[in-house]
């Protein structure tokens, strides 16, 4: 029997509906933006060619139009403003938490990501074990220890206190910040005018900024975390290949295959869906 097939047009229409990329469904207020982000669970600020996810920009515009180069665009101004205000209000997690790309993660879904992180319970010891095992860079260790000792700080202050000031250390510092965000150790918590451009991020340790996320994660086994993230992702993007899932979340392909097989047996997703015009067989969630 041939696997069921979808048309590319039907997939695009379903995503446009789900991503609110329709003029009559566009996001108008910050409350609507938060509702959209919570509904998506995982979302980009601007769309990316190599990542299939909705974007706040697309939902604001009612379509994924090109990002203008000038700064007097209404939707662009709202996108930039809300990506600062919503995390500062502890309404959503925002940062380079997936593939070193800035993403929004709802507070409902964040504990499942945290449950898969290398943080096991003691913020004063976990990072040291990772460092001794060669899994955490020296620069990330320095940055983490500055925040551990001094609390939330703007990036300009973190760089100096971590001994990573100067243009020659800029790349090392940026990599350290991305590394700590990818492992859910730090989070963006505010903005500051404490640099030459009068705009920079303020970071703090994630367990201090969102303790409820960490507490909920303690009760979530890894198997349940992956199941929840995968099902929610498919509900959001409508369809994806196992390869896309593996690349996006950094999961081993064999682990994805086992997870897909189990969820298919349980009737929680369908596999082997062919979409005309797209390569590979796709996964879709069961309603």
């Amino acid at each position: 029997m041939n696997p069921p097939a979808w048309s590319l047009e039907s997939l695009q229409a379903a995503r446009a509906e789900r991503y609110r990329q329709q003029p009559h469904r566009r996001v108008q207020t910050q409350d609507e933006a938060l509702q959209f982000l919570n509904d998506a669970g995982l979302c980009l600020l601007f769309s990316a060619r190599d990542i299939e996810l909705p974007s706040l920009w697309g939902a604001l515009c009612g379509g994924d139009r090109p990002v203008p180069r000038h700064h007097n665009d209404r939707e662009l101004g709202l996108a930039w403003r809300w990506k600062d205000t919503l995390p500062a209000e502890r309404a959503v997690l925002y940062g380079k938490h997936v593939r070193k790309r800035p993403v929004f993660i709802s507070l409902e879904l964040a504990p499942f990501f945290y449950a898969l992180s290398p943080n096991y319970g003691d913020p004063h010891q976990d990072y040291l074990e990772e460092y001794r095992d060669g899994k955490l860079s020296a620069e990330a260790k320095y940055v983490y220890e500055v925040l551990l000792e001094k609390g939330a700080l703007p990036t300009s202050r973190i760089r100096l206190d971590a001994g990573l000031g100067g243009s020659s250390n800029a790349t090392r510092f940026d990599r350290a910040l991305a590394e700590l965000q990818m492992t859910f150790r730090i989070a963006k918590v505010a903005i500051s005018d404490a640099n030459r451009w009068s705009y920079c991020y303020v970071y703090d340790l994630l367990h201090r900024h969102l303790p409820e996320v960490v507490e909920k994660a303690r009760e979530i086994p890894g198997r349940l975390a992956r199941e929840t993230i995968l099902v929610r992702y498919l509900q959001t993007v409508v369809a994806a290949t196992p390869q896309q899932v593996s690349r996006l979340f950094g999961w081993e392909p064999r682990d994805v295959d086992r997870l897909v097989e189990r969820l298919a047996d349980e009737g929680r997703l369908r596999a082997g869906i062919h979409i005309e015009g797209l390569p590979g067989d796709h996964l879709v969630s069961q309603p």
Side-chain angles (χ1 to χ4, degrees):
M1 177 184 295
N2 293 327
W6 285 20
S7 70
L8 180 58
E9 291 75 15
S10 64
L11 174 61
Q12 291 171 335
R15 282 178 175 167
E17 176 75 20
R18 193 77 177 90
Y19 295 4
R20 296 190 67 160
Q21 291 188 3
Q22 299 170 326
H24 68 284
R25 301 197 68 238
R26 63 194 301 179
V27 165
Q28 300 281 358
T29 67
Q30 180 172 297
D31 286 343
E32 288 184 2
L34 179 57
Q35 182 183 7
F36 167 69
L37 297 175
N38 286 336
D39 186 47
L42 184 64
C43 184
L44 294 164
L45 177 60
F46 300 106
S47 61
R49 291 183 179 181
D50 58 339
I51 296 179
E52 185 54 56
L53 278 172
S55 69
L56 178 58
W57 168 250
L60 273 165
C61 297
D64 196 19
R65 67 181 172 92
V67 179
R69 295 186 178 183
H70 57 81
H71 294 282
N72 58 350
D73 182 88
R74 176 182 178 274
E75 285 74 28
L76 183 60
L78 291 176
W80 281 111
R81 184 190 312 164
W82 293 341
K83 62 95 172 166
D84 291 335
T85 56
L86 287 170
E89 294 172 5
R90 302 187 182 189
V92 70
L93 184 62
Y94 176 74
K96 294 181 179 180
H97 299 295
V98 176
R99 284 189 60 183
K100 297 183 180 180
R101 302 290 187 87
V103 294
F104 296 94
I105 303 178
S106 72
L107 297 189
E108 177 189 2
L109 198 58
F112 296 93
F113 280 96
Y114 192 88
L116 296 175
S117 75
N119 306 300
Y120 302 107
D122 187 347
H124 295 271
Q125 295 297 324
D126 290 346
Y127 81 98
L128 288 174
E129 293 180 13
E130 288 281 298
Y131 176 68
R132 286 192 290 264
D133 291 341
K135 298 177 181 178
L136 187 71
S137 70
E139 292 84 358
K141 175 179 178 290
Y142 303 153
V143 169
Y144 185 89
E145 288 177 335
V146 166
L147 294 174
L148 185 64
E149 176 186 355
K150 300 183 178 181
L153 291 172
T155 52
S156 55
R157 176 70 182 278
I158 298 171
R159 286 190 66 179
L160 294 177
D161 290 359
L164 295 169
S167 58
S168 62
N169 289 318
T171 299
R172 295 169 63 206
F173 178 68
D174 289 342
R175 286 175 179 170
L177 288 180
E179 184 179 349
L180 291 170
Q181 290 172 82
M182 282 288 295
T183 52
F184 290 85
R185 287 190 167 96
I186 66 172
K188 293 175 180 176
V189 302
I191 57 172
S192 170
D193 60 1
N195 70 354
R196 69 181 69 177
W197 300 282
S198 297
Y199 179 93
C200 62
Y201 286 118
V202 176
Y203 287 92
D204 198 1
L205 302 184
L206 193 149
H207 77 268
R208 199 155 52 201
H209 179 59
L210 293 171
E212 67 276 15
V213 167
V214 177
E215 191 61 32
K216 291 177 182 177
R218 297 183 193 279
E219 303 175 359
I220 301 173
R223 172 173 168 168
L224 176 60
R226 286 189 175 86
E227 290 178 358
T228 303
I229 291 170
L230 175 56
V231 170
R232 186 63 173 277
Y233 176 64
L234 292 177
Q235 289 171 345
T236 296
V237 304
V238 184
T241 65
Q243 293 77 17
Q244 286 177 309
V245 172
S246 179
R247 285 195 302 269
L248 179 61
F249 299 118
W251 299 344
E252 291 293 332
R254 62 179 179 274
D255 293 336
V256 173
D257 291 341
R258 286 195 291 264
L259 177 58
V260 167
E261 182 178 2
R262 183 169 67 251
L263 293 177
D265 289 342
E266 294 173 1
R268 298 173 63 188
L269 63 75
R270 287 186 292 162
I273 305 297
H274 176 67
I275 299 176
E276 298 172 1
L278 292 179
D281 290 332
H282 289 67
L283 314 170
V284 299
S285 67
Q286 290 280 48

